Amino acid sequence: MPPLPNAVEKFPTVQSLVEHAIGCLLVAEYSYFLMQHNDHVWKEVLSLAVEEYAASNKQDSVSMDVKAVLHDYSGDMDGLCDSIIKVTVNNRMSSKLLME
């Protein structure tokens, strides 16, 4: 899975945990779509998805989006969850496969 951000040392922050969780979801979702288009075994597809996530600008985009979401958080948990879901959907990597 995607590594935790470099800034995480002994105690991860809420932001780093959310970023990591979104990264894992993006890799899992992208792996699913790759499996639909290829005849590879799941371990190869998962490795490819992690490599592509690491090589893309998605980590930076997710980090900026999560930072903005947490900055705007006003105590509304439902709103926070909706915002995190939007960040995940807006950064999905499978969208490039859907365009092909």
Side-chain angles (χ1 to χ4, degrees), residues 64-79:
M64 289 188 306
D65 293 348
V66 169
K67 185 176 183 178
V69 164
L70 293 177
H71 181 268
D72 295 341
Y73 176 61
S74 61
D76 176 20
M77 188 58 73
D78 290 336

Side-chain angles (χ1 to χ4, degrees), residues 1-9 12 15-25 27 46-47 49-56 58-60 62-63:
M1 288 286 110
L4 285 170
N6 292 336
V8 176
E9 293 184 20
Q15 180 177 339
S16 67
L17 291 174
V18 172
E19 290 172 15
H20 185 69
I22 290 173
C24 290
L25 287 172
V27 166
L46 186 58
S47 293
V50 170
E51 288 173 19
E52 289 194 31
Y53 179 75
S56 74
K58 294 295 182 186
Q59 265 183 306
D60 294 336
V62 167
S63 181

Side-chain angles (χ1 to χ4, degrees), residues 4-97:
L4 285 170
N6 292 336
V8 176
E9 293 184 20
K10 241 183 176 179
F11 302 103
T13 63
V14 170
Q15 180 177 339
S16 67
L17 291 174
V18 172
E19 290 172 15
H20 185 69
I22 290 173
C24 290
L25 287 172
L26 294 175
V27 166
E29 187 252 359
Y30 189 56
S31 297
Y32 171 79
F33 277 92
L34 288 175
M35 288 293 291
Q36 306 306 308
H37 296 288
N38 297 311
D39 292 328
H40 299 294
V41 296
W42 70 270
K43 287 182 182 181
E44 292 172 0
V45 170
L46 186 58
S47 293
L48 175 64
V50 170
E51 288 173 19
E52 289 194 31
Y53 179 75
S56 74
N57 66 343
K58 294 295 182 186
Q59 265 183 306
D60 294 336
S61 178
V62 167
S63 181
M64 289 188 306
D65 293 348
V66 169
K67 185 176 183 178
V69 164
L70 293 177
H71 181 268
D72 295 341
Y73 176 61
S74 61
D76 176 20
M77 188 58 73
D78 290 336
L80 178 63
C81 291
D82 288 343
S83 295
I84 290 171
I85 290 169
K86 286 178 187 173
V87 169
T88 306
V89 170
N90 290 340
N91 286 285
R92 66 183 183 195
M93 297 178 355
S94 63
S95 58
K96 72 179 183 179
L97 291 175

